[in-house]
Amino acid sequence: VVSSAGVVVVGNEILSGKVQDLNGPFLTRELRACGVRLGRVAVLPDEVAEIAFEVGRMTGQFDHVITTGGIGATHDDVTLQGVADAFGLPLEPHAELVQMFVERTGEPPAGAAERLTLLPAGAELIRTGRPAYPLVRVRNVFIFPGVPRFLQQKFELLRPLLQGEPFHLRRLFLSVDEGRVADLLERLDRRFSNVDVGSYPKFDPGVDHAVEVTLESRNPEAADQVLAELEAELQADWIVRKE
Amino acid sequence: VVSSAGVVVVGNEILSGKVQDLNGPFLTRELRACGVRLGRVAVLPDEVAEIAFEVGRMTGQFDHVITTGGIGATHDDVTLQGVADAFGLPLEPHAELVQMFVERTGEPPAGAAERLTLLPAGAELIRTGRPAYPLVRVRNVFIFPGVPRFLQQKFELLRPLLQGEPFHLRRLFLSVDEGRVADLLERLDRRFSNVDVGSYPKFDPGVDHAVEVTLESRNPEAADQVLAELEAELQADWIVRKE
C-alpha cells in the first residue's frame, strides 16, 4: 500500500512569476483522491544541486516522489541530471528512447536531440500505448513534464500504481473563537494519534462560523468517534453545523 | 540591497487539498515586483522538525525568509516553535504582546491565549499602526499569518524593507522547434552569466509560436545585448515577434 508522496516542481519560470504553477495543485488534489498523503511540495530553480538535494531527502521520507518540469532539449532542463545525482547514477543514452527516435526520424539522435535520450542509468519506462512518450521512473521517483496537459495525461499511467487507503473527513463549524476550543482540540489530537485534528479560524464577513474544525483519518470509525466526543464536550449552541 | 528570499508555506490543510494556497503565488508576484529573486518555495506540514529544517537551510541561503501559516492558538500552530528550533532559541512570552493583551482584555493571558504571546527569544515586532497585530521578525525570518487577507495587509509592512534591483525581461517568440535553437541558447547562457536564458515550448493549438525564449537580467543592457545576438544568429523567418 502506497501511503505517502513528495512533489518537486522545477522551473525558474515558476519562481520568477512568469508562469503560475498548475501542477502542484493538480497533484495535491489527485494524490489525496488516491488516498496518498502528500508530505511536502518543493518549488525549485533549474539547478542540479538543489534538485538532487531535495529528491535525495524525499526518496527516503516518502513512498513515492514526483517531479514536474525541467525535462527537454535545452540547457535549462536539468531535472534528469538532478535525479541522477540524487542517487549517484550516471546519465546515459537509454536504448529504448534511442530506438524510438530512430524509428520516428530515420537517423540516430545528435546534438540537442541526443539530450532527450539521456536518462539516469537503470531508468524504467512506463507506458500503455498513449501518450507516445513514456513516463520515466528512477527507483521511487516518477519524472513528469512541466506542461500541465502532458502531466495530466501521464498521471493516468501512475494512478494504477497509487493504492492508498482513502481519507475520511468530518467537519464541524463553530460559532465561537478558536481560543475557546483550543485546549479541547489539543487533548483529542493527542489521544487519537490516527486522527488529524485541524482548526481554521474564519474572519470573512458573511461566513456563518468563526472556526472550522476538521477531523481526518484513514479510519472512518476513529474520525466518527472524535466527532462524537467533540460534540459531547461542546456547548450545543456553539455548533453551527457539521458535514 | 536585498537580492533573494525563500518562502515556507505551512499547513496540513494545503497539503491535503482542503485549502488551495494563495500565499505562495501572491508572494511570488510581489517579491518579483520588488526585484527580489525567489530561490525556493517549500510547502510543509504542521511539523516542528520539518519547519525548523527548512527555515534553517533557507536562512543561510537567502537574504530573507518568509513563513506563512501555522500561527495561532491551537495545537496545529507550530511555526513559531519551528523557527525557534531553527536558531536554537527558546519560545518565551514577549513583553509587548503580553502588554497588548492586557490592554485589550484587562487581564493577563492564560491557557490558549498565552500561546499567542509566545515568540522566539529576541523576536522583533514591526508595525506602523495598522494592522493591529504586528509582523514578527526573527533575524532574517518574517513570520506571516496564513489567512491571505491578513498576509497581504502585513506584506505592506515588509515591502519598504525589500529593495532589490528590478528585473528586466525580454521575450522572443519563435516558430521553430526548441531543439533547433537549443545549442545557440546554451552558448549564450554560458557567455552571459548575468542573463538568465529560458526556453519554453508551447504545444497548445491556436498559439502562434512553437517556443518562447526569455532573457532576464538585473542589467537591462545585458538583456538587450543577448537579444540582439540572438536575433542576428537566427533565421529572420523563425522570429514570430518580440516583446
Side-chain angles (χ1 to χ4, degrees):
Chain A
V1 174
V2 175
S3 84
S4 63
V7 167
V8 177
V9 176
V10 177
N12 288 354
E13 73 278 19
I14 309 285
L15 289 170
S16 64
K18 286 199 282 291
V19 175
Q20 184 163 351
D21 175 42
L22 301 176
N23 295 329
F26 171 83
L27 291 170
T28 299
R29 278 193 308 276
E30 295 301 321
L31 288 169
R32 197 70 179 179
C34 291
V36 174
R37 179 178 65 81
L38 175 57
R40 182 161 75 251
V41 177
V43 186
L44 304 183
D46 299 319
E47 291 175 20
V48 174
E50 282 284 310
I51 297 164
F53 182 90
E54 189 68 49
V55 169
R57 270 191 83 212
M58 285 189 181
T59 191
Q61 286 181 297
F62 309 121
D63 292 331
H64 285 338
V65 180
I66 295 175
T67 74
T68 82
I71 56 175
T74 52
H75 64 283
D76 54 350
D77 295 311
V78 299
T79 297
L80 289 163
Q81 186 69 62
V83 173
D85 285 6
F87 295 110
L89 297 168
L91 274 190
E92 54 186 39
H94 191 282
E96 281 180 74
L97 287 183
V98 172
Q99 188 191 334
M100 279 172 65
F101 185 90
V102 172
E103 281 171 8
R104 193 160 54 85
T105 67
E107 53 190 40
E114 197 180 354
R115 277 184 76 106
L116 291 171
T117 67
L118 299 178
L119 295 182
E124 182 192 342
L125 306 184
I126 301 173
R127 58 182 140 191
T128 58
R130 294 186 56 77
Y133 190 89
L135 174 63
V136 175
R137 172 181 193 157
V138 179
R139 303 194 188 174
N140 67 341
V141 181
F142 296 86
I143 298 163
F144 282 81
V147 175
R149 187 159 53 93
F150 296 161
L151 175 131
Q152 290 171 27
Q153 287 172 356
K154 280 205 167 61
F155 187 80
E156 299 311 318
L157 299 175
L158 178 58
R159 196 186 294 274
L161 305 178
L162 301 175
Q163 307 174 6
E165 289 177 68
F167 291 93
H168 302 273
L169 173 66
R170 307 287 182 262
R171 307 199 292 175
L172 201 58
F173 299 86
L174 306 180
S175 59
V176 293
D177 228 47
E178 189 178 49
R180 304 278 285 276
V181 296
D183 292 340
L184 171 60
L185 295 180
E186 179 160 14
R187 280 203 309 279
L188 290 171
D189 187 68
R190 284 195 183 160
R191 266 182 54 210
F192 294 88
S193 61
N194 60 344
V195 178
D196 184 23
V197 180
S199 173
Y200 307 105
K202 300 293 170 67
F203 303 95
D204 291 314
V207 172
D208 68 354
H209 57 282
V211 60
E212 174 184 344
V213 176
T214 61
L215 310 170
E216 206 161 16
S217 178
R218 288 201 161 105
N219 180 335
E221 290 77 25
D224 285 332
Q225 189 185 345
V226 177
L227 180 62
E229 297 218 10
L230 197 51
E231 288 185 281
E233 294 224 34
L234 293 172
Q235 288 185 212
D237 62 343
W238 288 2
I239 299 174
V240 177
R241 62 199 155 84
K242 61 177 175 171
E243 284 178 7
Chain B
V1 173
V2 175
S3 85
S4 62
V7 167
V8 178
V9 176
V10 177
N12 289 354
E13 73 278 21
I14 309 285
L15 289 170
S16 64
K18 285 200 282 290
V19 175
Q20 184 164 350
D21 175 41
L22 302 175
N23 295 328
F26 171 83
L27 292 169
T28 299
R29 277 192 307 275
E30 295 301 322
L31 288 169
R32 197 69 180 181
C34 291
V36 175
R37 178 178 64 81
L38 176 56
R40 182 162 75 252
V41 177
V43 186
L44 304 183
D46 300 319
E47 291 175 19
V48 174
E50 282 284 309
I51 298 165
F53 181 89
E54 189 67 50
V55 169
R57 271 191 82 212
M58 284 190 182
T59 190
Q61 286 181 298
F62 308 121
D63 293 331
H64 286 338
V65 180
I66 294 175
T67 74
T68 83
I71 57 175
T74 50
H75 63 281
D76 55 349
D77 295 311
V78 299
T79 298
L80 289 163
Q81 186 70 62
V83 173
D85 285 6
F87 295 111
L89 296 168
L91 274 189
E92 55 186 37
H94 191 280
E96 283 181 73
L97 287 183
V98 173
Q99 189 191 334
M100 279 172 64
F101 185 90
V102 172
E103 281 170 8
R104 192 159 56 83
T105 67
E107 52 191 39
E114 197 180 354
R115 276 183 76 106
L116 291 170
T117 66
L118 299 179
L119 295 183
E124 180 192 344
L125 307 184
I126 301 172
R127 57 183 142 193
T128 58
R130 294 182 58 75
Y133 190 90
L135 174 64
V136 175
R137 173 182 191 155
V138 179
R139 304 198 187 169
N140 66 342
V141 181
F142 296 85
I143 298 163
F144 283 81
V147 176
R149 188 159 52 93
F150 296 161
L151 175 131
Q152 290 172 26
Q153 286 171 357
K154 279 208 168 61
F155 188 80
E156 298 312 318
L157 300 174
L158 177 59
R159 196 187 293 273
L161 305 178
L162 301 175
Q163 306 173 7
E165 289 176 68
F167 291 93
H168 302 273
L169 173 65
R170 308 286 182 265
R171 309 200 290 176
L172 201 58
F173 298 86
L174 306 180
S175 59
V176 292
D177 228 47
E178 189 178 48
R180 304 280 285 275
V181 295
D183 292 338
L184 171 60
L185 295 179
E186 179 160 15
R187 280 203 310 278
L188 290 171
D189 187 68
R190 285 195 181 160
R191 266 182 55 210
F192 295 88
S193 60
N194 60 345
V195 178
D196 184 23
V197 180
S199 172
Y200 307 104
K202 301 294 169 66
F203 302 96
D204 291 315
V207 170
D208 69 354
H209 57 283
V211 61
E212 174 184 345
V213 176
T214 62
L215 310 170
E216 205 161 17
S217 178
R218 289 198 160 106
N219 180 335
E221 290 78 24
D224 285 331
Q225 189 184 347
V226 177
L227 180 63
E229 296 216 12
L230 198 49
E231 288 185 281
E233 293 224 35
L234 293 171
Q235 286 186 213
D237 62 341
W238 288 2
I239 300 174
V240 177
R241 62 198 156 86
K242 60 177 176 172
E243 284 180 6

